[in-house]
């Protein structure tokens, strides 16, 4: 933290510098330190210009991998020979040894690292690429010189080195290939250029969901649909165009639904046999498990990156000034962004100025009652909608029995989609009545209300399907559920299309022509992402009953991307407020995982363990429960001697309670340990922060003291003072001499000239 | 390779296609400033100055590659923070003082804010971010503040 050369001089002149911190005694040193119980952080001090010997130390963040404090002083001189500054004679005589020492120390610190860490560290150095390349060459040379002594290990080590190098090269070329064929790269760039990072996050999320669906579809298609095609029976029903909407009729007897799949063991000739039941369960299990782990890891990655130090909340204004969105490249967008930024800064300023204004009790009461009323109304509406959907669903089945209109099945999906369209906008209108202290809270509360609505509707529908439809004794209830979900998804898609194409277009017309004060609308990211999550939840729910659903969702997402893109370009303006994109993305992925995916898993678990499959359709026909297929498979395996290990695993690991108990215990213990470590680090950060403040105060105090001393000296002996300062300049190795020759030299003035300098 | 073609497109007569002889070619700032990714960026001049070899904005191929590698998605956060600090440090004294802040805010708002508002903003920023209270932001202050805003990584990014 002693990065000021003033302090350096003070150290030399005034000896009592309290340095309780982990600061350097001198700036230009590198040293390795092993951390003890303290949290580790690696600081890198770097020199930015050739002849300036000032260092900048920056904190690297808590380094999890190495338990070492590494500080590098990366002087350019250590790599370049000092021939670029011809006039720098005194420098050469004074400092070359020090610089080469530092360069050697840098290299020495790099040598013991593994090559992966070394590359990472070199990459992190703030130098140009040429310098990094030279540094790497030197380090490699040194390393090869060292390793020549160890004969036995060289063969193996070289082999390993070349292997790892080949692996890295292939990984980078693969990722380059992947990036070049990455879908919609140019479109995303254009969107980001015009609308900024926050709107871009919606489209990236859409693309991410598309990957899930593509993966699921590929797996399901190859393991279930293709084998089924080989033993497909002829479809005797008639095809009318209405099937696309209703999903019933002709489609009811195709690979689209559960009911079509055979429960036999497919065998072609004398080849291998393929047990359809097991294939069905295992394929879906594998799909869901992969999705689970993928979601878990993405969530963990986003949490780690975006929730650092949540307790140190950064006020708006610094972030506004320094986090300019460099991805915006469209000229009009940049101008608009600048205008919006000024507005926001003004708002922020006025907020800060009015911060101390406290509300009267009366105002607080009105606000509180407004909140309570709003919550009551929103919960009431959600409950009413769910009840309505439930009764409609019940009535619908009776209604369908009496009326044979094929379009009547669409009534329930229509109502559900209508609710999903209208009620969120109704919730947004609450903002006219409710006032929040922070606009952030408004967004979160709106999000929570919408989530509650969607969860309650999906929950009610699941309850209806599992408890009423499944137990109703219908012929092929799984297919019925599959058809219901298909219709819901389709209706949702149609409504979104209509909303994007017509609704937003209308809104633009109104905003531009009729009520010009409204202006263009802004892209409501939260609402759109929730719609995506809702659709994905339905897909995951329906995957068991309608195996082709990922394919349909794929097509839907594909079309939605283009429609939303076109609508965005035509009807929207860039967002006016700075939106915390990365935190919101974390929240969305968390939402995708937690209520959505876990809910789906629970529903499927109930289906598989509790429900009775229908008697004459599907791969599990006739069994008392879906899981019975696994039980009988284990039974058959236990009779064969070669597969007893599978039976053992099943009985002792999956089937037994003890194993899960122990696993849970271990996970809880690890979580508790990590939590304690985090708490300890938080305390450490706070202490270090206070230390920085104290150091600043020390610095000020010492500067004042030095000034006073110098003033006193000046008064007593004006001539001697000038000589002394010159001596100080020459003695002090951290001082620089002025040069006019080289244009990129920076120069430091002596202490007496620092004081009058303003900055 | 893509980057090399972009570089070459900026000044086809200056930049040779064959770089094996490592020619010392610099593309002047005026041409770099016309790149579509940088054209409207209020900080384009500072970006070019920071990454150029002599601090004057004229960039060799290495400087060009450096610039886009730091501004890409994959660059580590601390490297980006370091270069962001250099970009915002207009007078190159390794501190962001009040004058640097004023320059930044003026460029960001393009003259929409009045002079007192600008100085008020600078004051507030120094209040919030200056942890050792010396009236200017050092690299550590800047970095610790950047650590608190996770959006920084995604906004300090130029797509090419």
């Amino acid at each position: 933290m002693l990065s000021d050369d003033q302090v350096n001089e003070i150290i030399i002149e005034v000896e009592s510098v309290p340095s309780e911190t982990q600061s350097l005694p001198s700036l230009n040193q590198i040293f390795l330190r092993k951390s003890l119980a303290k949290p580790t952080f690696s600081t890198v001090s770097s020199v930015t210009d050739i002849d300036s010997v000032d260092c900048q130390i920056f904190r690297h963040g808590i380094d999890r991998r190495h338990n070492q404090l590494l500080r590098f002083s990366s002087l350019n001189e250590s790599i370049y020979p000092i021939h670029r500054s011809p006039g720098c004679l005194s420098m050469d005589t004074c400092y070359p040894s020090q610089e080469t020492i530092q360069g050697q120390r840098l290299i020495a610190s790099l040598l013991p690292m593994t090559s992966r860490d070394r590359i990472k560290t070199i990459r992190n150095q703030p130098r140009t690429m040429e310098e990094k390349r030279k540094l790497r060459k030197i380090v490699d040379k040194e390393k090869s010189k060292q390793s020549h002594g160890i004969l036995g290990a060289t063969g193996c080590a070289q082999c390993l080195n070349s292997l790892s190098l080949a692996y890295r090269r292939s990984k980078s070329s693969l990722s380059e290939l992947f990036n070049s064929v990455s879908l919609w790269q140019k479109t995303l760039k254009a969107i980001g250029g015009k609308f900024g990072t926050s709107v871009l996050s919606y489209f990236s999320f859409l693309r991410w969901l598309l990957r899930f669906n593509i993966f699921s579809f590929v797996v399901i298609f190859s393991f279930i649909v293709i084998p089924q095609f080989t033993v497909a029976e002829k479809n005797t029903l008639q095809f009318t165009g209405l099937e696309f909407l209703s999903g019933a009729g002709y489609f009811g007897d195709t690979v689209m639904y559960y009911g079509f799949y055979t429960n036999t063991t497919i065998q072609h000739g004398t080849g291998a046999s393929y047990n359809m039941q097991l294939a069905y369960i295992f394929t879906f299990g594998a799909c869901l498990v992969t999705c689970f782990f993928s979601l878990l890891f993405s969530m963990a990655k986003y949490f780690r990156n975006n929730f650092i130090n949540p307790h140190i909340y950064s006020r708006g204004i610094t972030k506004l000034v320094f986090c300019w969105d460099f991805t915006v490249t469209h000229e009009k967008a940049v101008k608009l962004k600048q205008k919006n930024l000024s507005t926001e800064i003004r708002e922020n300023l006025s907020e800060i100025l009015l911060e101390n204004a406290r509300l009267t009790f009366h105002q607080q009461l009105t606000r509180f009652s407004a909140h309570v009323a709003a919550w009551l109304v929103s919960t009431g509406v959600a409950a009413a909608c769910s009840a309505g959907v439930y009764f409609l669903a019940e009535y619908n089945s009776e209604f369908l029995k009496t009326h044979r209109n094929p379009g009547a099945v669409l009534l329930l999906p229509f109502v559900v989609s209508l609710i999903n369209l209208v009620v969120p906008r109704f919730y947004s209108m609450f903002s006219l009545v409710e006032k929040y202290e922070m606009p952030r809270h408004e967004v979160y509360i709106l999000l929570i209300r919408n989530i509650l609505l969607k969860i309650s509707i999906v929950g009610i529908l699941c309850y209806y399907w599992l408890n009423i439809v499944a137990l109703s004794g219908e012929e092929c209830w799984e297919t019925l559920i599959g058809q219901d979900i298909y219709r819901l998804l389709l209706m949702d898609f149609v409504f979104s299309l209509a909303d994007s194409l017509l609704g937003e277009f209308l809104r633009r017309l109104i905003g531009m022509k009729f009520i010009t004060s409204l202006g263009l609308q802004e892209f409501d990211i939260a609402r759109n992402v929730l719609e995506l999550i809702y659709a994905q939840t339905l897909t995951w729910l329906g995957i068991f009953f309608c195996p082709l659903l990922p394919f349909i969702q794929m097509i839907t997402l594909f079309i939605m991307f283009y429609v939303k893109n076109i609508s965005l370009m035509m009807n929207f303006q860039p967002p006016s407020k700075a939106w915390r994109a990365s935190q919101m993305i974390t929240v969305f992925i968390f939402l995708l995982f937690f209520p959505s995916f876990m809910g789906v898993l629970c529903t499927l678990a109930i289906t598989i363990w509790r429900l009775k499959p229908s008697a004459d359709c599907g791969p599990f026909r006739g069994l008392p429960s879906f899981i019975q297929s696994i039980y009988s498979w284990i039974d058959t395996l236990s009779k064969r001697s070669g597969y007893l290990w599978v039976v053992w695993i099943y009985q002792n690991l999956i089937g037994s309670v003890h194993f899960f108990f122990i696993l849970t215990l271990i996970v809880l213990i690890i979580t508790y340990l990590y939590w304690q470590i985090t708490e300890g680090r938080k305390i450490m950060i706070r202490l270090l922060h206070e230390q920085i403040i104290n150091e600043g105060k020390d610095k000020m105090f010492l500067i004042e003291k030095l000034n006073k001393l110098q003033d006193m000296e000046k008064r007593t002996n004006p001539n001697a003072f000038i000589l002394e300062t010159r001596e100080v300049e020459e003695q002090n190795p951290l001082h620089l001499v002025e040069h006019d020759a080289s244009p990129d030299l920076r120069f430091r003035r002596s202490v007496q000239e620092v004081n009058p300098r303003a900055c | 390779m893509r980057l090399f073609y972009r570089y070459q497109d900026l000044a086809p007569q200056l930049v040779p296609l064959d770089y094996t002889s490592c020619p010392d070619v610099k593309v002047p700032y005026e041409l770099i400033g016309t790149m579509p990714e940088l054209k409207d960026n209020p900080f384009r001049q500072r970006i070019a100055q920071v990454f150029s070899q002599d601090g004057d904005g004229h960039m060799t191929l290495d400087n060009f590659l450096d610039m886009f590698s730091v501004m890409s998605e994959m660059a580590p956060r601390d490297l980006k923070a370091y270069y962001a600090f250099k970009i915002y440090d207009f007078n190159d004294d390794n501190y962001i003082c009040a004058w640097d802040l004023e320059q930044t805010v003026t460029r960001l708002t393009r003259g929409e804010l009045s002079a007192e508002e600008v100085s008020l903003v600078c004051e507030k920023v120094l209040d919030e971010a200056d942890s050792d209270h010396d009236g200017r932001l050092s690299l550590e202050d800047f970095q610790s503040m950047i650590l608190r805003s996770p959006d920084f990584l995604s906004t300090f990014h130029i797509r090419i």
Side-chain angles (χ1 to χ4, degrees):
Chain A
M1 292 58 128
L2 305 172
S3 57
D4 201 355
D5 62 345
Q6 294 176 352
V7 186
N8 276 332
E9 289 145 33
I10 296 172
I11 291 172
I12 292 161
E13 295 273 324
V14 179
E15 276 172 50
S16 56
V17 174
S19 52
E20 318 114 40
T21 70
Q22 297 148 344
S23 57
L24 302 160
S26 131
L27 282 179
N28 303 327
Q29 280 178 22
I30 322 163
F31 50 93
L32 292 170
R33 227 194 249 173
K34 294 230 181 347
S35 82
L36 308 164
K38 300 177 195 170
T40 59
F41 54 90
S42 46
T43 61
V44 180
S45 80
S46 79
V47 174
T48 51
D49 355 343
I50 291 184
D51 295 303
S52 140
V53 192
D54 256 358
C55 294
Q56 288 171 343
I57 306 173
F58 44 96
R59 219 162 288 149
H60 225 265
I62 297 178
D63 195 345
R64 275 162 253 116
R65 282 199 207 140
H66 323 284
N67 271 337
Q68 295 165 342
L69 263 180
L70 297 165
R71 286 188 198 192
F72 301 106
S73 154
S74 43
L75 287 177
N76 294 345
E77 295 96 352
S78 59
I79 305 300
Y80 284 116
I82 307 176
H83 57 63
R84 285 181 72 170
S85 45
C88 183
L89 293 168
S90 56
M91 287 274 293
D92 280 359
T93 49
C94 287
Y95 322 131
S97 51
Q98 200 163 20
E99 285 135 20
T100 43
I101 290 176
Q102 287 149 21
Q104 283 169 2
R105 280 192 190 169
L106 169 61
I107 294 173
S109 61
L110 284 175
L111 279 175
M113 294 194 205
T114 65
S115 55
R116 211 177 66 174
D117 294 331
R118 198 182 312 148
I119 289 178
K120 198 166 162 226
T121 326
I122 293 184
R123 204 186 285 165
N124 278 353
Q125 296 274 313
R127 299 150 154 264
T128 68
M129 274 173 56
E130 211 179 309
E131 292 158 11
K132 287 188 202 174
R133 254 183 254 144
K134 287 207 170 124
L135 183 60
R136 201 167 69 185
K137 262 191 227 160
I138 294 179
V139 172
D140 283 337
K141 238 193 304 183
E142 290 286 327
K143 184 95 190 191
S144 57
K145 265 193 237 163
Q146 269 189 8
S147 60
H148 273 180
I150 315 164
L151 286 172
T154 36
C156 200
Q158 270 183 11
C159 206
L160 272 175
N161 268 344
S162 51
L163 259 180
S164 63
L165 190 65
Y167 169 68
R168 265 202 308 276
R169 281 219 185 103
S170 59
K171 204 163 80 159
S172 64
S173 58
L174 255 181
S175 66
E176 206 184 293
L177 186 70
F178 187 66
N179 276 338
S180 61
V181 302
S182 188
L183 198 57
W184 300 319
Q185 190 77 343
K186 287 218 178 84
T187 327
L188 286 180
K189 186 176 162 188
I191 296 176
K194 202 164 168 221
F195 290 92
T197 329
S198 46
V199 173
L200 190 60
S201 60
Y202 166 78
F203 287 92
S204 318
F205 190 69
L206 199 154
R207 192 172 67 161
W208 191 64
L209 280 182
L210 188 65
R211 287 198 195 128
F212 268 131
N213 285 310
I214 292 179
F215 167 75
S216 312
F217 171 64
V218 165
V219 168
I220 291 177
F221 195 74
S222 36
F223 286 107
I224 297 187
V225 178
I226 290 188
Q228 181 57 41
F229 269 138
T230 56
V231 287
E233 295 156 8
K234 198 91 172 63
N235 197 337
T236 50
L237 298 171
Q238 272 210 335
F239 180 78
T240 65
L242 206 55
E243 267 85 14
F244 281 117
L245 280 181
S246 69
Y250 180 75
F251 279 162
D253 215 11
T254 56
V255 283
M256 195 150 133
Y257 293 113
Y258 168 95
F260 185 64
Y261 291 85
T262 170
N263 72 335
T264 59
T265 308
I266 304 172
Q267 194 153 17
H268 289 287
T270 52
S273 65
Y274 193 81
N275 189 336
M276 200 60 183
Q277 286 181 351
L278 292 177
Y280 205 83
I281 271 201
F282 283 145
T283 316
F284 285 117
C287 259
L288 288 173
V289 162
T290 323
C291 288
F292 175 78
F293 280 115
S294 162
L295 271 176
L296 195 64
F297 287 131
S298 310
M299 206 168 66
K301 186 178 77 166
Y302 275 99
F303 261 135
R304 193 173 58 205
N305 287 341
N306 298 329
F307 274 91
I308 313 170
N309 297 335
H311 64 283
I312 308 178
Y313 166 60
S314 121
R315 302 285 289 301
I317 209 161
T318 329
K319 197 172 104 98
L320 283 177
V321 171
F322 285 123
C323 288
W324 168 260
D325 199 345
F326 279 71
T327 59
V328 176
T329 51
H330 206 88
E331 189 188 340
K332 268 194 250 172
V334 169
K335 285 204 186 113
L336 192 62
K337 212 172 166 66
Q338 286 172 324
K339 206 159 84 131
N340 289 331
L341 195 62
S342 352
T343 325
E344 243 191 291
I345 289 182
R346 273 206 200 101
E347 273 177 19
N348 222 310
L349 280 180
S350 56
E351 244 180 57
I352 296 178
L353 290 174
L354 292 175
E355 206 183 29
N356 296 323
R358 307 231 54 177
L359 298 169
T360 66
F361 180 68
H362 185 247
Q363 279 177 322
Q364 274 183 337
L365 194 62
T366 33
R367 266 209 195 173
F368 183 68
S369 49
H371 285 322
V372 166
W375 271 108
L376 279 176
V377 171
S378 61
T379 332
V381 166
C385 288
S386 328
V389 164
Y390 181 70
F391 286 124
L392 183 65
E394 278 198 339
Y395 172 71
N396 206 19
S397 49
E398 293 166 24
F399 181 73
L400 280 176
K401 285 195 186 94
T402 50
H403 293 72
R404 281 282 150 199
N405 189 357
V409 288
L410 288 177
L411 182 64
L412 181 64
F414 183 80
V415 168
V416 171
S417 299
L418 199 64
I419 292 177
N420 274 331
L421 188 73
V422 168
V423 178
R425 284 175 173 75
F426 172 64
Y427 284 162
S428 313
M429 292 204 298
F430 282 178
S431 65
L432 296 171
V433 176
E434 278 183 293
K435 296 286 173 224
Y436 290 95
E437 279 144 21
M438 288 197 227
R440 215 167 42 116
H441 286 176
E442 199 181 320
V443 175
Y444 282 149
I445 298 224
L446 191 63
L447 208 63
I448 291 176
R449 287 187 185 143
N450 282 332
I451 292 167
L452 273 178
L453 175 75
K454 292 202 152 71
I455 286 182
S456 51
I457 289 188
V458 176
I460 279 285
L461 282 173
C462 283
Y463 175 75
Y464 169 68
W465 285 324
L466 293 182
N467 278 354
I468 312 277
V469 176
L471 303 174
S472 63
E474 296 261 347
E475 212 182 83
C476 209
W477 58 267
E478 295 99 344
T479 311
L480 287 178
I481 295 182
Q483 286 171 349
D484 262 343
I485 297 185
Y486 169 78
R487 285 191 283 260
L488 272 175
L489 213 55
L490 196 69
M491 233 350 129
D492 192 54
F493 173 59
V494 166
F495 266 72
S496 309
L497 267 185
D499 184 36
S500 293
L501 289 176
L502 293 175
E504 286 162 7
F505 182 66
L506 276 175
R507 169 74 179 71
R508 178 177 82 126
L509 278 181
I510 296 176
M512 301 290 270
K513 301 269 166 58
F514 300 122
I515 317 175
T516 41
S517 59
L518 277 180
L520 284 176
Q521 53 192 322
E522 287 177 26
F523 194 74
D524 191 348
I525 301 166
R527 197 165 45 89
N528 281 298
V529 172
L530 273 186
E531 277 175 29
L532 280 180
I533 294 180
Y534 170 74
Q536 190 60 36
T537 315
L538 283 181
T539 312
W540 276 330
L541 260 183
I543 228 179
F544 190 77
F545 306 108
C546 173
L548 282 189
L549 216 52
F551 177 64
I552 295 165
Q553 177 72 350
M554 242 169 72
I555 301 180
T556 314
L557 284 177
F558 210 78
I559 299 179
M560 278 312 287
F561 183 88
Y562 287 111
V563 166
K564 287 273 179 202
N565 188 21
I566 295 172
S567 172
L568 184 75
M569 292 298 179
M570 279 193 351
N571 302 330
F572 285 92
Q573 64 169 341
S576 56
K577 285 211 189 311
W579 205 75
R580 318 182 77 172
S582 45
Q583 271 192 345
M584 293 308 271
I585 290 292
T586 323
V587 169
F588 289 140
I589 295 188
F590 178 72
L591 279 179
L592 190 65
F593 183 71
F594 217 29
S596 167
F597 192 72
M598 296 312 251
V600 166
L601 280 186
C602 292
T603 318
L604 282 180
I606 294 176
T607 317
I608 293 186
W609 263 273
R610 291 289 170 89
L611 293 180
K612 187 172 175 328
S614 48
D616 36 40
C617 65
F620 298 98
R621 59 191 92 173
L623 295 174
S625 67
F626 290 94
I627 199 69
Q628 192 62 35
S629 57
I630 301 268
Y631 294 156
S632 49
W633 178 60
I634 294 288
D635 280 338
T636 51
L637 272 189
S638 59
K639 297 197 184 85
R640 290 205 215 160
S641 57
Y643 293 99
L644 281 176
W645 58 275
V646 182
V647 184
W648 183 87
I649 290 179
Y650 177 80
Q651 278 171 351
N652 294 327
L653 293 185
I654 304 181
S656 80
V657 177
H658 305 300
F659 177 68
F660 283 113
F661 180 69
I662 296 175
L663 202 64
T664 319
L665 209 60
I666 294 176
V667 168
L668 280 176
I669 291 175
I670 294 179
T671 319
Y672 176 71
L673 285 175
Y674 270 116
W675 180 51
Q676 287 299 311
I677 293 177
T678 322
E679 292 293 309
R681 285 181 180 177
K682 277 189 206 166
I683 296 176
M684 203 60 209
I685 290 174
R686 196 171 45 84
L687 288 176
L688 285 171
H689 196 71
E690 283 170 27
Q691 237 166 18
I692 294 176
I693 298 179
N694 286 335
E695 289 234 334
K697 290 186 193 153
D698 287 337
K699 197 161 69 173
M700 287 292 125
F701 166 72
L702 290 168
I703 291 175
E704 280 174 25
K705 193 164 174 186
L706 189 64
N707 285 342
K708 276 189 218 150
L709 280 175
Q710 285 185 342
D711 284 339
M712 273 174 19
E713 291 238 9
K714 205 176 180 178
R715 265 179 244 129
T716 53
N717 205 346
N719 290 332
F721 178 62
I722 298 169
L723 280 173
E724 246 182 45
T725 51
R726 261 203 222 118
E727 276 174 32
V728 166
E729 270 188 46
E730 286 170 15
Q731 279 172 17
N732 192 344
L734 303 171
H735 255 303
L736 288 177
V737 186
E738 254 183 75
H739 288 283
D740 315 304
S742 199
D744 45 37
L745 287 178
R746 320 270 182 253
F747 43 85
R748 294 271 169 271
R749 308 211 178 262
S750 63
V751 174
Q752 66 176 155
E753 293 176 15
V754 167
N755 296 329
R757 199 171 64 166
C759 186
Chain B
M1 274 317 279
R2 250 186 332 140
L3 281 176
F4 173 67
Y5 287 129
R6 292 299 301 270
Y7 183 71
Q8 221 249 337
D9 282 335
L10 287 175
Q13 56 283 51
L14 269 180
V15 178
L17 271 171
D18 177 20
Y19 246 76
T20 47
S21 50
C22 295
D24 187 21
V25 172
K26 277 195 200 180
V27 173
Y29 165 68
E30 295 75 31
L31 289 176
I32 303 233
T34 59
M35 279 186 76
E37 287 86 0
L38 289 179
K39 176 163 67 84
D40 294 306
N41 198 317
F43 294 106
R44 59 185 178 279
Q45 196 173 22
R46 269 311 287 169
I47 297 176
Q49 280 173 355
V50 162
F51 283 101
S52 66
Q53 207 156 4
D54 307 317
D56 53 4
H58 307 314
M59 300 174 69
T60 66
L61 178 64
D62 270 345
N63 301 138
F64 190 78
L65 291 175
D66 253 345
M67 175 166 78
F68 281 106
S69 91
V70 168
M71 303 294 277
S72 78
E73 276 175 315
M74 319 260 267
R77 164 184 256 141
D78 293 309
L79 204 57
K80 285 200 187 210
Y82 172 74
Y83 278 106
F85 183 76
K86 283 183 73 174
I87 288 177
Y88 291 129
D89 181 10
F90 281 82
N91 51 10
D92 277 327
D93 60 350
N94 295 325
Y95 286 100
I96 296 183
C97 61
W99 184 79
D100 293 327
L101 282 175
E102 270 171 46
Q103 290 287 308
T104 314
V105 174
T106 326
R107 270 168 215 241
L108 279 177
T109 59
R110 208 184 259 249
E112 292 262 345
L113 294 180
S114 69
E116 318 103 49
E117 282 170 335
V118 170
S119 52
L120 194 59
V121 169
C122 299
E123 211 183 285
K124 291 298 164 199
V125 169
L126 283 173
D127 272 343
E128 278 177 23
D130 188 12
S131 50
D132 53 2
H133 300 294
D134 56 354
R136 51 199 180 162
L137 297 181
S138 65
L139 184 58
E140 297 89 50
D141 297 332
F142 186 76
Q143 287 221 308
S144 66
M145 189 216 14
I146 284 297
L147 274 180
R148 292 184 222 153
S149 35
D151 286 319
F152 173 72
L153 263 185
S154 50
T155 53
F156 195 72
H157 165 43
I158 294 184
R159 272 173 212 274
I160 184 153

